[in-house]
């Protein structure tokens, strides 16, 4: 029998430390295909004669996803464990306290430990190329139960039970399960005997051969098992329908009121064999589900009724959908009965909320709510681009743009810190290239899209920008130390691909992806010159790596990064800038050059004026894509054009941040016009209604509109500097920092700016208010007044 004894790396509050964790269990799989999600099971006899149980821990993992049961009930409400990592090199092991599950089990008696194994990311299909099982040929489960008894001597007696060839496998009622396509559950096949001691019986229905088979061990090779320390995926909310009606095609439709990520729990009675078909979509088109944006993802669950005396309850926990609307074909009752029978279960990684924002502008508040909801749906094991179509991948460009907003709204230290480990693992096996997605499944996909990638601006820059964001948000330099090799490898990859002129314009670039002026079928056809975008981003990355190296005491690396930054800056100024005008003369190139500090002071002033001219010429409608959008309001503010920034932020005509809100959006869209003004779906083949990247402007809202920003990493000292505008009469923001709770509210009253600020003990706040000298305040609540500038409306 194969055994696994491995070193595990544990992340504790964002700081990595090496410890030894040993497991003696093996990964096991069913000896033959059971035609369903397999149940791996064994009876466990609790040792007698060793006193009462002091503690009990169950560690579980899977090649696939696992749901553990002990003593007849689920071990926890965690979902899709162990989550998605770069499975070629590491697999998480989740640990559960199961003392309560064993409290009623008398010593010497049996209970049952069972694992239900779904396909998940490791064994299911991923990406749009149609392939599957990129990480394993068979789904396998892993478990180790450790029971410690109370005895008189120090260590106590420990009973250990792990997965091995003494287990058995049996078929389940889950006849199919795929993350993209959905889950089929046949209630006629349910049998509770797998949860009970004694002989196992398996029902057989309509040609489905219920059976029990043996198991074999699965060699995981050199993959490392690591203790799971990231927030688990859990149910976050239950959402009742707001409306149920019949579509023109005659199928019952349900509106849950918000675009969410999860599934529908349904309870129904009816004749045995009745199949209920649940389809999901984010929007309606022509009064039917708008499913075209799903591409090949079926997003469909099937529930087959048992016909038993009690209603059947279905909950497809081995899949997830992005949806606001659903149809239920085959429903045997009335619409009122359907409304009472369903609830949407919203799921996501259970991150702690840390930041808030509100203002006097209702549409802006809704937009901020949409940013939060979109992040919750896309922070599901990895930071994904979208949760609904045949993609749901860890696109690096999206999190590069959104990380500052994410790390204000929620505590992302463990979540993003763990994801960065996979960034470095992928990079080490790709000649230093940070891939477009992490974990990088595209390297296996038969699709021709993005084959043989190289480092690319913004997307690959995530390997620098994200750790720097975590350092700024939480003040712990360990993330910089952990990632410095990765950051330097990225810089060296850039350096090796510079042109003879010293510009980063020699490889494929996404550029200003999804420029609103690009045609629907060509998202890369932006106004901004891709070389200008890439060279500016390379300069920013080199500058940040130099700072990171100095923070962590790596002087040679700091010097290397500084030399690269100096060369990039000189080349940019020489080849791209003429009298303050930047090649391609569009908003994105000016925004990046200003915020990244690559221009001379005179050129920066001229660039700011030109940026404002272009923004005004566009009617204060958005003209930037992925590259420029996170930075354009900062560039305007930094160069003295605050009113233009506010007009851009509060614009409601398409394209704008608030246009989707006027169209009923409850999450941030991928395209500025994912839904056209006539209510039809954008004709492009890439349209998502839940993409957080363009919500990155919320970071500017927190810092400039709300007025709260860090002066030193981790908010050990803070800046209180609200800049009212746009006709807003008040705004409020707050943040739970590592040093305590900071809160700020400002209001315009009778020609005065009234500010109330709460600062934690031990934190210094620098206050900058219009018309007043800068001042410093310490811990406590402070009431401040200043003359109010006339807000732009």
């Amino acid at each position: 029998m194969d055994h696994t004894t491995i070193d595990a790396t544990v992340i504790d509050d964002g700081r990595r430390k090496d410890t030894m964790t040993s497991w003696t269990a093996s990964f096991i799989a069913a000896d033959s295909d059971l035609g369903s999600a397999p149940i791996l099971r064994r009876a466990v006899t609790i040792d007698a004669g060793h006193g009462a149980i002091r503690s009990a821990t169950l560690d579980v993992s899977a090649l696939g996803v696992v749901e553990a049961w002990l003593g007849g009930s689920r071990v926890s409400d965690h979902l899709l464990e162990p989550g998605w990592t770069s499975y070629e090199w590491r697999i998480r092991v989740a640990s559960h306290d199961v003392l309560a599950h064993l409290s009623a089990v008398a010593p010497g008696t049996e209970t049952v430990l069972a694992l239900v194994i779904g396909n998940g990311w490791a064994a299911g299909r991923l990406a749009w190329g149609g392939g599957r099982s990129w990480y394993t040929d068979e789904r396998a489960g892993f478990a180790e139960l450790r029971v410690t008894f109370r005895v008189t001597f120090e260590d106590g007696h420990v009973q250990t039970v792990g997965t091995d060839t003494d287990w058995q496998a049996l078929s389940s009622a889950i006849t199919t399960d795929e993350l993209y396509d959905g889950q089929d559950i046949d209630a006629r096949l349910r049998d509770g005997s797998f949860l009970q001691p004694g002989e196992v019986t398996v029902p057989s229905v309509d040609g489905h051969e219920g059976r029990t088979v043996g198991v074999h061990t699965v060699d995981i090779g050199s993959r490392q098992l690591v203790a799971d320390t990231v927030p688990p995926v859990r149910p976050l909310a239950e959402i009742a329908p707001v409306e149920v009606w019949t579509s023109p095609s005659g199928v019952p439709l349900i509106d849950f009121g918000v675009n969410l990520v999860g599934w529908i729990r349904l309870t129904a009675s009816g004749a045995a064999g009745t199949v209920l078909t649940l389809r999901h979509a984010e929007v309606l088109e022509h009064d039917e589900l708008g499913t075209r944006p799903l591409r090949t993802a079926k997003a469909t669950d099937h529930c087959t009724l048992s016909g038993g005396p009690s209603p059947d309850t279905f909950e497809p926990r081995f899949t997830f959908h992005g949806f606001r609307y659903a149809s239920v074909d085959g429903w045997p009752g009335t619409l009122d009965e359907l409304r009472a029978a369903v609830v949407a279960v919203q799921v996501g990684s259970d991150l702690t909320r840390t930041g808030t924002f509100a203002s006097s502008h209702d549409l802006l508040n809704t937009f901020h709510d949409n940013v939060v909801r979109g992040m919750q749906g896309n922070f599901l094991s990895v930071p994904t681009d979208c949760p609904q179509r045949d993609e749901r991948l860890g696109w690096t460009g999206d999190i590069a743009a959104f990380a500052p907003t994410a790390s204000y709204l929620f505590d992302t230290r463990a979540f993003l810190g763990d994801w960065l480990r996979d960034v470095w693992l992928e990079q080490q096996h790709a000649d230093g290239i940070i891939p477009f997605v992490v974990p990088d499944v595209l390297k296996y996909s038969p699709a021709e899209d993005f084959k043989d990638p190289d480092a690319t601006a913004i997307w690959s820059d995530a390997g620098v920008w994200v750790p720097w964001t975590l350092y700024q948000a939480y003040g712990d330099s360990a993330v910089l130390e952990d990632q410095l090799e990765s950051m330097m490898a990225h810089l060296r990859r850039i350096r090796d691909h510079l042109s003879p002129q010293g510009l980063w314009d020699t490889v494929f670039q996404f550029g200003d992806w999804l420029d609103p002026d690009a045609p629907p079928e060509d998202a890369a056809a932006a106004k901004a010159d891709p070389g200008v975008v890439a060279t500016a981003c390379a300069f920013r990355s080199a500058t940040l790596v130099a700072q990171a190296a100095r923070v962590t005491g790596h002087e040679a690396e700091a010097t290397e990064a500084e030399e690269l930054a100096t060369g990039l800056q000189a080349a940019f100024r020489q080849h791209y800038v003429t009298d303050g005008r930047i090649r391609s003369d569009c908003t994105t190139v000016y925004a990046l050059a200003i915020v990244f500090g690559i221009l001379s002071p005179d050129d920066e002033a001229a660039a700011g004026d030109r940026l404002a001219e272009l923004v005004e010429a566009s009617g204060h409608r958005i003209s930037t894509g992925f590259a420029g959008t996170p930075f354009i309001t900062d560039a305007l503010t930094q160069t003295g054009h605050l009113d233009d920034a506010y007009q851009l932020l509060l614009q409601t005509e398409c394209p704008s941040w608030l246009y989707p809100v006027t169209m009923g959006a409850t999450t941030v869209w991928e395209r500025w016009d994912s839904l056209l003004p006539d209510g039809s779906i954008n004709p492009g083949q890439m349209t998502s209604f839940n993409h957080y990247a363009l919500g990155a402007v919320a970071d500017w809202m927190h810092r400039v509109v709300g007025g709260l920003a860090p002066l030193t990493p981790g908010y050990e000292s803070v800046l209180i500097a609200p800049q009212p505008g746009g006709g807003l009469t008040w705004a409020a923001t707050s943040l739970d920092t590592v040093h305590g709770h900071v809160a700020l509210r400002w209001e315009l009253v009778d020609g005065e700016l009234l500010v109330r600020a709460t600062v934690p003990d031990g934190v210094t706040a620098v206050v900058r208010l219009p018309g007043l000298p800068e001042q410093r305040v310490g811990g406590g609540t402070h009431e401040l007044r200043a003359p109010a500038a006339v807000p732009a409306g």
Side-chain angles (χ1 to χ4, degrees):
M1 186 189 311
D2 294 328
H3 292 284
T4 309
T5 302
I6 15 219
D7 293 339
T9 300
V10 179
I11 298 174
D12 179 18
D13 293 331
R15 183 180 296 276
R16 187 175 304 170
K17 57 185 181 182
D18 292 328
T19 62
M20 172 71 78
T21 301
S22 294
W23 291 281
T24 57
S26 301
F27 277 78
I28 59 171
D31 282 342
S32 59
D33 184 2
L34 294 167
S36 66
I39 300 168
L40 307 176
R41 173 197 187 275
R42 72 158 292 169
V44 178
T45 301
I46 302 302
D47 286 353
H50 297 285
I53 298 174
R54 185 178 71 194
S55 64
T57 302
L58 177 65
D59 292 346
V60 296
S61 189
L63 289 171
V65 290
V66 58
E67 185 173 276
W69 292 68
L70 181 60
S73 61
R74 286 175 63 198
V75 163
S76 77
D77 65 350
H78 296 184
L79 303 163
L80 302 172
E81 286 185 321
W84 189 8
T85 54
S86 292
Y87 293 126
E88 303 98 325
W89 306 293
R90 70 185 192 108
I91 307 169
R92 298 192 194 113
V93 178
S95 185
H96 300 281
D97 183 345
V98 293
L99 179 61
H101 294 266
L102 296 179
S103 59
V105 180
T109 60
E110 282 189 340
T111 189
V112 170
L113 174 58
L115 309 175
V116 189
I117 310 296
N119 282 312
W121 295 276
R125 79 176 180 106
L126 293 174
W128 53 87
R132 55 176 295 110
S133 301
W134 302 122
Y135 298 105
T136 183
D137 293 330
E138 56 184 346
R139 42 187 161 181
F142 172 94
E144 187 163 293
L145 174 68
R146 292 186 302 279
V147 183
T148 303
F149 297 83
R150 298 182 189 276
V151 291
T152 55
F153 50 89
E154 183 178 349
D155 292 331
H157 172 72
V158 179
Q159 179 184 3
T160 301
V161 177
T163 39
D164 58 24
T165 54
D166 291 334
W167 287 52
Q168 59 186 166
L170 56 149
S171 56
S172 73
I174 302 171
T175 55
T176 63
D177 66 281
E178 288 284 352
L179 296 179
Y180 293 176
D181 295 332
Q183 185 168 326
D184 294 355
I185 304 172
D186 190 338
R188 297 171 298 174
L189 300 172
R190 284 181 173 151
D191 178 49
S193 66
F194 83 88
L195 303 175
Q196 307 300 328
E199 184 178 354
V200 175
T201 61
V202 182
S204 179
V205 175
D206 290 350
H208 183 281
E209 182 184 356
R211 56 195 172 123
T212 303
V213 300
V215 302
H216 59 274
T217 60
V218 175
D219 183 8
I220 65 169
S222 60
R223 292 162 168 159
Q224 184 186 41
L225 295 187
V226 296
D228 184 6
T229 57
V230 299
V233 177
R234 298 181 64 245
L236 302 179
E238 294 189 355
I239 301 170
V242 297
E243 187 177 1
V244 179
W245 72 102
T246 302
S247 74
S249 63
V251 178
L253 290 179
I254 308 168
D255 178 8
F256 289 98
V258 294
N259 195 18
L260 64 104
V261 176
W263 53 71
I264 293 172
R265 186 170 64 236
L266 179 148
T267 301
S269 298
T274 300
V275 178
L276 308 182
T277 300
L278 284 71
R279 296 184 174 88
H280 306 76
E282 296 182 296
V283 295
L284 299 177
E285 189 173 36
H286 309 306
D287 299 319
E288 301 282 357
L289 295 183
T291 57
R292 180 174 59 82
L294 299 177
R295 301 190 304 214
T296 66
K298 295 177 182 178
T300 300
D301 301 325
H302 295 96
C303 309
T304 303
L305 303 183
S306 68
S310 301
D312 297 312
T313 297
F314 300 89
E315 187 166 6
R317 292 189 292 266
F318 285 168
T319 189
F320 63 88
H321 311 295
F323 68 102
R324 172 175 173 169
Y325 301 94
S327 66
V328 184
D329 198 0
W331 176 250
T334 67
L335 294 182
D336 285 342
E337 289 171 335
L338 177 59
R339 182 169 187 155
V342 297
V343 63
V345 180
Q346 179 188 354
V347 306
S349 291
D350 191 16
L351 307 181
T352 299
R353 182 73 185 270
T354 52
T356 66
F357 174 88
S359 74
S360 60
H361 197 290
D362 289 341
L363 292 180
L364 194 61
N365 295 340
T366 299
F367 170 74
H368 193 271
D369 290 343
N370 293 355
V371 173
V372 173
R373 190 175 295 110
M375 176 179 169
Q376 287 179 309
N378 280 293
F379 272 52
L380 196 160
S381 186
V382 299
T384 58
D385 60 326
C386 62
Q388 72 297 94
R389 67 184 181 221
D390 55 356
E391 195 163 350
R392 315 183 195 190
L393 306 176
W395 283 93
T396 47
D398 296 64
I399 193 59
F402 192 72
T405 295
S407 297
Y408 190 96
L409 294 175
F410 290 87
D411 184 345
T412 64
R413 283 174 291 180
F415 183 91
L416 289 179
D418 185 78
W419 178 78
L420 285 170
R421 294 177 63 194
D422 285 327
V423 169
W424 181 219
L425 281 170
E426 297 284 0
Q427 202 176 354
Q428 290 176 76
H429 293 84
D431 198 21
I433 299 170
I434 296 176
F436 302 153
V437 299
V438 174
D440 183 16
V441 71
L442 294 184
K443 62 178 176 277
Y444 303 123
S445 175
E448 290 302 315
D449 311 64
F450 312 127
K451 278 291 185 183
D452 301 319
D454 210 316
T456 188
I458 303 173
W459 278 253
S460 299
D461 288 320
V464 173
W465 298 5
V466 173
W468 184 256
T469 293
L470 295 180
Y471 171 60
Q472 292 296 308
Y474 307 112
D476 190 345
S477 63
V479 67
L480 302 181
E481 185 71 51
D482 291 341
Q483 296 301 128
L484 190 61
E485 288 183 81
S486 164
M487 298 161 85
M488 290 300 302
H490 172 55
L491 288 194
R492 290 164 183 154
R493 191 77 194 183
I494 293 173
R495 181 193 61 200
D496 292 345
H497 285 77
L498 296 182
S499 70
Q501 293 76 33
L503 304 170
W504 194 18
D505 61 357
T506 60
V507 294
F508 166 79
Q509 297 289 347
F510 287 99
D512 197 24
W513 186 255
L514 285 172
D515 179 328
D517 295 319
E521 69 278 3
D522 189 359
K527 300 181 292 292
D529 183 292
V532 175
V533 171
T535 304
C537 290
F539 171 77
R540 184 189 195 218
S541 287
T543 302
L544 294 182
V545 173
Q547 295 179 56
R550 295 230 181 270
V551 167
T552 55
H554 295 271
E555 293 301 320
E557 288 80 0
T559 299
E560 182 181 347
E562 287 168 350
E563 290 175 351
L564 179 60
T566 299
L568 287 164
Q569 183 178 53
F572 187 96
R573 291 180 179 181
Q574 178 183 351
H575 296 286
Y576 291 149
V577 184
T578 304
D579 297 329
R581 291 292 178 98
I582 301 175
R583 180 183 293 184
S584 62
D585 192 36
C586 62
T587 49
T588 285
V589 296
Y590 291 108
L592 298 183
I594 291 167
V595 174
F596 296 171
I598 201 169
L599 300 174
S600 68
D602 288 344
D603 282 339
E604 181 175 308
D609 291 340
R610 179 56 179 162
L611 174 61
E613 290 176 5
L614 292 171
V615 168
E616 184 176 4
S618 72
H620 292 95
R621 290 186 293 270
I622 283 289
S623 56
T624 52
F626 261 46
T629 295
F631 304 105
I632 188 167
T633 48
D634 269 307
L636 289 166
T637 305
Q638 183 176 321
T639 54
H641 301 284
L642 180 65
D643 288 350
D644 290 296
Y646 266 104
Q647 290 182 67
L648 193 64
L649 176 70
L650 301 179
Q651 175 65 253
T652 57
E653 294 183 13
C654 186
S656 67
W657 283 292
L658 297 188
Y659 163 73
V661 178
T662 69
M663 295 294 289
T666 60
T667 44
V668 177
W669 296 348
E670 179 178 21
R671 294 180 180 268
W672 299 107
D673 59 349
S674 287
L675 199 67
L676 302 180
D678 64 2
S680 62
I681 298 172
N682 187 292
Q685 292 302 305
M686 188 185 71
T687 299
S688 158
F689 295 89
N690 192 352
H691 243 75
Y692 56 64
L694 297 181
V697 71
D699 177 54
W700 182 83
M701 291 164 57
H702 301 146
R703 291 182 288 102
V704 177
V705 181
L708 180 60
L711 276 178
T712 54
Y715 293 83
E716 187 175 17
S717 60
V718 300
L719 175 64
I720 294 174
Q723 300 185 56
L728 273 65
T729 58
W730 66 268
T733 191
S734 69
L735 180 65
D736 291 327
T737 76
V738 293
H739 298 286
H741 183 71
V742 185
L744 172 62
R745 177 187 169 92
W746 63 261
E747 185 175 5
L748 298 176
V749 179
D750 297 331
E752 280 193 309
L753 173 62
L754 308 181
V755 177
R756 180 183 178 88
T758 300
V759 180
D761 290 339
V763 170
T764 299
V766 173
V767 181
R768 296 174 188 162
L769 299 179
L772 295 180
E774 181 176 292
Q775 60 178 306
R776 293 177 178 268
V777 298
T781 298
H782 308 277
E783 305 279 354
L784 307 163
R785 294 174 178 266
V790 178

